[in-house]
């Protein structure tokens, strides 16, 4: 455990140092792709990784955002060893696309369900082994769960349960399909986070009911249990 924590701290310190260097406009102006130059410039910190990058599965994707006089963003992306077919575990980075795709799905549904919105209170039931129910959310101002509140918790505190609820709302298969439709073709959506989700449980998603009121008396939209084909495991 101590070794793992030390390694994690080392990676975070290294990442912060690299990010700080990349944020320098002067550095970027001098280098075409600064990542290789900066990594090689600090062999004491990065040497062991650069000697065997395949072992550590190092991949760096850095996008710098510059704004012009009209405050319009311009993006410049730099890559080091980005290998689409070399899998690495994305950890909490999966939460941002899950939040975006949950909003995308909700917007599509709202076109057919008047009144349905990100802040609509909801109830989550269980329909398969390992699933859990949600009736209230004490972190919300009105005490009720909602897609908006789950997104707040994902973005503010990287809450794993909040991600799991977005996963259940969108569905494992649709998450993967929509990411591919948006150009992210080399992605894998495998399971919920931190609940020991595996096997056929990952294919089943909970039933949802959205309401027009915080007392949960006036249903707006009912989403039944979802089941992804087993061949997609």
């Amino acid at each position: 455990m101590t070794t793992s924590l030390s390694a994690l701290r080392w990676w975070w310190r290294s990442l912060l140092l690299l990010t700080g260097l990349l944020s320098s406009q002067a550095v970027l102006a001098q280098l075409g792709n600064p990542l290789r130059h900066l990594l090689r410039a600090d062999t004491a910190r990065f040497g062991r990784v650069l000697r065997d990058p395949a072992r550590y599965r190092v991949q760096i994707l850095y996008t710098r955002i510059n704004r012009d006089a009209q405050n319009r963003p311009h993006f410049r992306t730099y890559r080091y060893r980005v290998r689409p077919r070399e899998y690495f575990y994305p950890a909490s980075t999966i939460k941002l696309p899950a939040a975006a795709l949950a909003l995308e799905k909700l917007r599509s549904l709202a076109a057919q369900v008047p009144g349905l919105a990100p802040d609509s209170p909801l109830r989550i039931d269980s329909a398969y082994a390992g699933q859990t129910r949600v009736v209230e959310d004490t972190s919300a101002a009105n005490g009720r769960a909602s897609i908006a509140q789950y997104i707040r918790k994902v973005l503010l505190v990287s809450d794993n349960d909040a991600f799991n609820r977005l996963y259940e709302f969108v569905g494992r298969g649709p998450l993967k399909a929509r990411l591919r439709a948006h150009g992210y073709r080399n992605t894998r959506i495998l399971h919920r986070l931190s609940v020991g989700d595996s096997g056929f449980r990952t294919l089943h998603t909970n039933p949802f009911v959205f309401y027009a009121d915080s007392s949960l008396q006036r249903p707006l939209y009912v989403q039944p249990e979802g089941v992804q084909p087993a061949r997609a495991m």
Side-chain angles (χ1 to χ4, degrees):
M1 183 66 174
T2 303
T3 303
S4 297
L5 287 173
S6 299
L8 183 61
R9 292 191 189 100
W10 180 87
W11 275 112
W12 272 113
R13 287 196 298 267
S14 302
L15 180 61
L16 289 172
L17 172 65
L18 190 61
T19 303
L21 290 170
L22 287 168
S23 67
S24 168
Q25 187 68 40
V27 170
L28 294 179
Q30 296 174 17
L31 305 175
N33 183 343
L35 291 174
R36 289 182 179 274
H37 297 276
L38 293 173
L39 289 169
R40 290 170 179 168
D42 192 345
T43 54
R45 187 178 297 270
F46 300 113
R48 67 174 182 176
V49 174
L50 294 180
R51 283 192 292 272
D52 195 358
R55 174 188 175 190
Y56 295 99
R57 296 189 179 182
V58 179
Q59 297 190 45
I60 302 174
L61 185 64
Y62 173 79
T63 299
R64 182 177 176 85
I65 305 173
N66 292 313
R67 293 184 178 274
D68 59 23
Q70 286 74 44
N71 202 34
R72 292 173 300 194
H74 300 273
F75 303 93
R76 178 72 181 274
T77 298
Y78 304 94
R79 298 173 174 83
Y80 172 74
R81 267 196 97 256
V82 174
R83 307 285 178 86
R85 295 188 179 278
E86 183 175 296
Y87 178 76
F88 70 97
Y89 190 68
S92 288
T93 58
I94 190 58
K95 293 171 182 174
L96 179 58
L101 294 176
L103 288 174
E104 180 186 75
K105 176 176 179 176
L106 201 61
R107 182 173 62 180
S108 176
L109 289 172
Q112 306 168 20
V113 184
L116 186 63
D119 283 311
S120 295
L122 61 84
R123 188 187 74 229
I124 304 174
D125 209 337
S126 61
Y128 195 79
Q131 293 183 354
T132 56
R133 297 180 174 90
V134 175
V135 176
E136 62 180 2
D137 186 338
T138 56
S139 70
N142 64 357
R144 296 300 184 187
S146 67
I147 295 301
Q149 185 65 7
Y150 285 135
I151 290 175
R152 290 185 190 103
K153 293 197 287 187
V154 157
L155 298 181
L156 292 175
V157 296
S158 192
D159 187 82
N160 286 340
D161 178 71
F163 163 78
N164 293 344
R165 301 310 178 177
L166 299 178
Y167 170 103
E168 291 160 0
F169 173 58
V170 181
R172 194 182 93 162
L175 274 171
K176 180 179 179 180
R178 292 307 299 157
L179 283 171
R180 291 193 171 190
H182 286 294
Y184 298 94
R185 300 183 181 280
N186 298 289
T187 56
R188 299 176 68 190
I189 306 297
L190 299 178
H191 53 70
R192 298 168 180 83
L193 300 177
S194 300
V195 292
D197 199 28
S198 62
F200 287 100
R201 285 185 297 181
T202 67
L203 304 176
H204 292 256
T205 53
N206 307 46
F208 278 65
V209 183
F210 292 81
Y211 293 86
D213 61 311
S214 59
S215 61
L216 307 185
Q217 297 298 314
R218 291 184 290 149
L220 275 174
Y221 172 72
V222 177
Q223 175 174 292
E225 172 197 11
V227 183
Q228 187 181 9
R231 64 177 180 273
M233 289 185 67

